[in-house]
Amino acid sequence: MYNSIQDTLIIGKKVIYLPTCHSTNDIAAEIVHAGLFDEGTIVITDNQVKGRGQRGTEWLANPGENLTFSVILTPHFLPISHQFLLSQTVALAVRDFVGKYVVDTKVKWPNDILANGKKVCGILIENAIQGSKIVSSVAGIGLNVNQILFENPYATSISNETGRQISLQEAFENLVLVIESYYFKLKTADGQDQIRAAYLNHLYGYKKTVRFKYADRTLEGTVDHITPQGKLVLQLLSEPGQIEVGLKEIEWLWD
Ligand code: BTN
């Protein structure tokens, strides 16, 4: 059970708790399409049975052990050319929150969160666009909190990394507080510059050698920068030059 959050101004003032549901992102999208909603409404479940991930993947989380929720936002102030900033904002907020428990916490482009090098959180942001404006956005967050066993050897949870279980309700409230403070930052030009800088600062592979698959080849390189549209620019090591890639063009290699 999750209640509305007391200490925020917008996000989590309305919390829709569903013991079980297919996908909180889908439910949030239905609420948006129905037309009457308050910005900051959150849909949260204990048991998501058809969780969706990036690139059409499935998001699996043991019932009652993790946080699976979606936040409805209306960032009308962001032109679509800057929509990646919202991704960066949510990723940084989650990274900050996980960083309270695990020292080595990074953002892996575009918006995975790593704790001690393993994936602890996935984020799925789905924007509804009209003309050149973002009319609404659903930010779906799957944070592994107390789950101990994972099929995927590169997945982890806060519990796995700290050796202790934490209260999901408390984690939810504290995480939403951080998300709101970052969201307010996103509303100012100065805040946006800070978000871009902090994102690079916490980015996996930023000026460090990483391995990835690109155009059917295994390559090594370092992250050089992110374009305003959110593309990743990598400096190649195995050959001269840089490549600029979108989400579907590159696959990170774990080792
Ligand atoms: C990824 O890493 O591929 C993104 C995973 C996003 C999972 C969350 S869980 C809550 C929300 N509802 C969904 O169906 N997906 C997101």
mmCIF file of all heavy atoms in Angstrom, residues 219-241:
data_model
loop_
_atom_site.group_PDB
_atom_site.id
_atom_site.type_symbol
_atom_site.label_atom_id
_atom_site.label_comp_id
_atom_site.label_asym_id
_atom_site.label_seq_id
_atom_site.Cartn_x
_atom_site.Cartn_y
_atom_site.Cartn_z
ATOM 1 N N LEU A 219 33.599 -2.857 -30.327
ATOM 2 C CA LEU A 219 34.528 -1.725 -30.350
ATOM 3 C C LEU A 219 34.814 -1.255 -28.931
ATOM 4 O O LEU A 219 34.067 -1.574 -27.996
ATOM 5 C CB LEU A 219 33.916 -0.565 -31.141
ATOM 6 C CG LEU A 219 33.619 -0.810 -32.616
ATOM 7 C CD1 LEU A 219 32.844 0.358 -33.206
ATOM 8 C CD2 LEU A 219 34.899 -1.041 -33.409
ATOM 9 N N GLU A 220 35.867 -0.477 -28.815
ATOM 10 C CA GLU A 220 36.180 0.174 -27.539
ATOM 11 C C GLU A 220 36.196 1.672 -27.765
ATOM 12 O O GLU A 220 36.589 2.137 -28.847
ATOM 13 C CB GLU A 220 37.559 -0.264 -27.048
ATOM 14 C CG GLU A 220 37.548 -1.599 -26.354
ATOM 15 C CD GLU A 220 38.873 -1.886 -25.678
ATOM 16 O OE1 GLU A 220 39.903 -1.303 -26.081
ATOM 17 O OE2 GLU A 220 38.856 -2.678 -24.737
ATOM 18 N N GLY A 221 35.782 2.399 -26.749
ATOM 19 C CA GLY A 221 35.804 3.848 -26.885
ATOM 20 C C GLY A 221 35.497 4.509 -25.563
ATOM 21 O O GLY A 221 35.316 3.839 -24.542
ATOM 22 N N THR A 222 35.444 5.836 -25.612
ATOM 23 C CA THR A 222 35.064 6.589 -24.419
ATOM 24 C C THR A 222 33.895 7.500 -24.798
ATOM 25 O O THR A 222 33.793 7.929 -25.947
ATOM 26 C CB THR A 222 36.229 7.473 -23.912
ATOM 27 O OG1 THR A 222 36.597 8.367 -24.978
ATOM 28 C CG2 THR A 222 37.433 6.659 -23.507
ATOM 29 N N VAL A 223 33.028 7.767 -23.825
ATOM 30 C CA VAL A 223 31.928 8.693 -24.098
ATOM 31 C C VAL A 223 32.523 10.098 -24.154
ATOM 32 O O VAL A 223 33.242 10.517 -23.246
ATOM 33 C CB VAL A 223 30.848 8.607 -22.998
ATOM 34 C CG1 VAL A 223 29.792 9.688 -23.211
ATOM 35 C CG2 VAL A 223 30.208 7.220 -22.976
ATOM 36 N N ASP A 224 32.245 10.804 -25.245
ATOM 37 C CA ASP A 224 32.778 12.158 -25.396
ATOM 38 C C ASP A 224 31.753 13.196 -24.944
ATOM 39 O O ASP A 224 32.034 14.044 -24.127
ATOM 40 C CB ASP A 224 33.167 12.395 -26.864
ATOM 41 C CG ASP A 224 33.923 13.685 -27.019
ATOM 42 O OD1 ASP A 224 35.106 13.697 -26.667
ATOM 43 O OD2 ASP A 224 33.301 14.697 -27.430
ATOM 44 N N HIS A 225 30.546 13.112 -25.497
ATOM 45 C CA HIS A 225 29.475 14.023 -25.059
ATOM 46 C C HIS A 225 28.120 13.501 -25.510
ATOM 47 O O HIS A 225 28.029 12.477 -26.191
ATOM 48 C CB HIS A 225 29.713 15.456 -25.563
ATOM 49 C CG HIS A 225 29.620 15.607 -27.059
ATOM 50 N ND1 HIS A 225 30.644 15.311 -27.917
ATOM 51 C CD2 HIS A 225 28.587 16.023 -27.841
ATOM 52 C CE1 HIS A 225 30.277 15.553 -29.168
ATOM 53 N NE2 HIS A 225 29.021 15.982 -29.156
ATOM 54 N N ILE A 226 27.086 14.204 -25.103
ATOM 55 C CA ILE A 226 25.711 13.881 -25.482
ATOM 56 C C ILE A 226 25.206 15.063 -26.295
ATOM 57 O O ILE A 226 25.395 16.212 -25.892
ATOM 58 C CB ILE A 226 24.817 13.746 -24.209
ATOM 59 C CG1 ILE A 226 25.402 12.746 -23.208
ATOM 60 C CG2 ILE A 226 23.377 13.415 -24.551
ATOM 61 C CD1 ILE A 226 25.311 11.303 -23.607
ATOM 62 N N THR A 227 24.558 14.798 -27.425
ATOM 63 C CA THR A 227 24.033 15.920 -28.222
ATOM 64 C C THR A 227 22.767 16.449 -27.536
ATOM 65 O O THR A 227 22.150 15.731 -26.734
ATOM 66 C CB THR A 227 23.680 15.475 -29.655
ATOM 67 O OG1 THR A 227 22.525 14.623 -29.585
ATOM 68 C CG2 THR A 227 24.829 14.732 -30.325
ATOM 69 N N PRO A 228 22.329 17.655 -27.873
ATOM 70 C CA PRO A 228 21.097 18.180 -27.251
ATOM 71 C C PRO A 228 19.899 17.256 -27.510
ATOM 72 O O PRO A 228 18.965 17.204 -26.714
ATOM 73 C CB PRO A 228 20.905 19.539 -27.935
ATOM 74 C CG PRO A 228 22.271 19.920 -28.398
ATOM 75 C CD PRO A 228 22.986 18.642 -28.733
ATOM 76 N N GLN A 229 19.937 16.503 -28.598
ATOM 77 C CA GLN A 229 18.843 15.574 -28.903
ATOM 78 C C GLN A 229 18.983 14.252 -28.147
ATOM 79 O O GLN A 229 18.149 13.362 -28.273
ATOM 80 C CB GLN A 229 18.779 15.275 -30.407
ATOM 81 C CG GLN A 229 18.303 16.450 -31.262
ATOM 82 C CD GLN A 229 19.332 17.579 -31.318
ATOM 83 O OE1 GLN A 229 20.532 17.347 -31.307
ATOM 84 N NE2 GLN A 229 18.850 18.821 -31.325
ATOM 85 N N GLY A 230 20.059 14.101 -27.402
ATOM 86 C CA GLY A 230 20.215 12.911 -26.563
ATOM 87 C C GLY A 230 20.996 11.794 -27.215
ATOM 88 O O GLY A 230 21.059 10.684 -26.700
ATOM 89 N N LYS A 231 21.614 12.091 -28.372
ATOM 90 C CA LYS A 231 22.453 11.043 -28.982
ATOM 91 C C LYS A 231 23.799 10.984 -28.255
ATOM 92 O O LYS A 231 24.277 11.986 -27.705
ATOM 93 C CB LYS A 231 22.644 11.334 -30.459
ATOM 94 C CG LYS A 231 21.363 11.073 -31.242
ATOM 95 C CD LYS A 231 21.672 10.841 -32.679
ATOM 96 C CE LYS A 231 20.497 10.203 -33.374
ATOM 97 N NZ LYS A 231 20.817 9.866 -34.751
ATOM 98 N N LEU A 232 24.367 9.774 -28.294
ATOM 99 C CA LEU A 232 25.622 9.541 -27.589
ATOM 100 C C LEU A 232 26.778 9.673 -28.576
ATOM 101 O O LEU A 232 26.746 9.053 -29.652
ATOM 102 C CB LEU A 232 25.568 8.112 -27.037
ATOM 103 C CG LEU A 232 26.767 7.580 -26.299
ATOM 104 C CD1 LEU A 232 26.882 8.232 -24.917
ATOM 105 C CD2 LEU A 232 26.653 6.064 -26.131
ATOM 106 N N VAL A 233 27.772 10.456 -28.223
ATOM 107 C CA VAL A 233 28.941 10.580 -29.098
ATOM 108 C C VAL A 233 30.120 9.878 -28.420
ATOM 109 O O VAL A 233 30.492 10.198 -27.294
ATOM 110 C CB VAL A 233 29.265 12.058 -29.394
ATOM 111 C CG1 VAL A 233 30.493 12.160 -30.299
ATOM 112 C CG2 VAL A 233 28.057 12.741 -30.033
ATOM 113 N N LEU A 234 30.634 8.873 -29.137
ATOM 114 C CA LEU A 234 31.734 8.060 -28.601
ATOM 115 C C LEU A 234 33.008 8.330 -29.379
ATOM 116 O O LEU A 234 32.988 8.391 -30.627
ATOM 117 C CB LEU A 234 31.380 6.579 -28.719
ATOM 118 C CG LEU A 234 30.283 6.074 -27.775
ATOM 119 C CD1 LEU A 234 29.527 4.921 -28.412
ATOM 120 C CD2 LEU A 234 30.889 5.641 -26.457
ATOM 121 N N GLN A 235 34.080 8.480 -28.641
ATOM 122 C CA GLN A 235 35.399 8.583 -29.250
ATOM 123 C C GLN A 235 35.946 7.159 -29.371
ATOM 124 O O GLN A 235 36.056 6.456 -28.369
ATOM 125 C CB GLN A 235 36.301 9.427 -28.331
ATOM 126 C CG GLN A 235 37.728 9.533 -28.768
ATOM 127 C CD GLN A 235 37.851 10.354 -30.051
ATOM 128 O OE1 GLN A 235 37.300 11.437 -30.149
ATOM 129 N NE2 GLN A 235 38.537 9.800 -31.050
ATOM 130 N N LEU A 236 36.224 6.726 -30.586
ATOM 131 C CA LEU A 236 36.698 5.347 -30.756
ATOM 132 C C LEU A 236 38.162 5.229 -30.344
ATOM 133 O O LEU A 236 38.943 6.163 -30.514
ATOM 134 C CB LEU A 236 36.523 4.920 -32.206
ATOM 135 C CG LEU A 236 35.076 4.928 -32.711
ATOM 136 C CD1 LEU A 236 35.016 4.521 -34.165
ATOM 137 C CD2 LEU A 236 34.203 4.009 -31.861
ATOM 138 N N LEU A 237 38.518 4.049 -29.840
ATOM 139 C CA LEU A 237 39.917 3.831 -29.447
ATOM 140 C C LEU A 237 40.627 2.938 -30.454
ATOM 141 O O LEU A 237 41.801 3.116 -30.745
ATOM 142 C CB LEU A 237 39.987 3.158 -28.074
ATOM 143 C CG LEU A 237 39.614 4.022 -26.877
ATOM 144 C CD1 LEU A 237 39.819 3.257 -25.593
ATOM 145 C CD2 LEU A 237 40.453 5.299 -26.852
ATOM 146 N N SER A 238 39.868 1.978 -30.988
ATOM 147 C CA SER A 238 40.476 0.999 -31.874
ATOM 148 C C SER A 238 40.786 1.584 -33.255
ATOM 149 O O SER A 238 41.541 0.999 -34.032
ATOM 150 C CB SER A 238 39.544 -0.202 -31.995
ATOM 151 O OG SER A 238 38.215 0.172 -31.707
ATOM 152 N N GLU A 239 40.185 2.724 -33.560
ATOM 153 C CA GLU A 239 40.427 3.374 -34.854
ATOM 154 C C GLU A 239 40.165 4.868 -34.668
ATOM 155 O O GLU A 239 39.507 5.264 -33.713
ATOM 156 C CB GLU A 239 39.498 2.783 -35.927
ATOM 157 C CG GLU A 239 38.051 2.833 -35.547
ATOM 158 C CD GLU A 239 37.201 1.869 -36.368
ATOM 159 O OE1 GLU A 239 37.243 0.663 -36.086
ATOM 160 O OE2 GLU A 239 36.525 2.351 -37.278
ATOM 161 N N PRO A 240 40.630 5.701 -35.576
ATOM 162 C CA PRO A 240 40.413 7.132 -35.371
ATOM 163 C C PRO A 240 38.960 7.537 -35.605
ATOM 164 O O PRO A 240 38.248 6.871 -36.365
ATOM 165 C CB PRO A 240 41.330 7.797 -36.412
ATOM 166 C CG PRO A 240 41.808 6.724 -37.303
ATOM 167 C CD PRO A 240 41.442 5.387 -36.741
ATOM 168 N N GLY A 241 38.510 8.568 -34.948
ATOM 169 C CA GLY A 241 37.191 9.126 -35.240
ATOM 170 C C GLY A 241 36.177 8.929 -34.133
ATOM 171 O O GLY A 241 36.409 8.229 -33.153
#
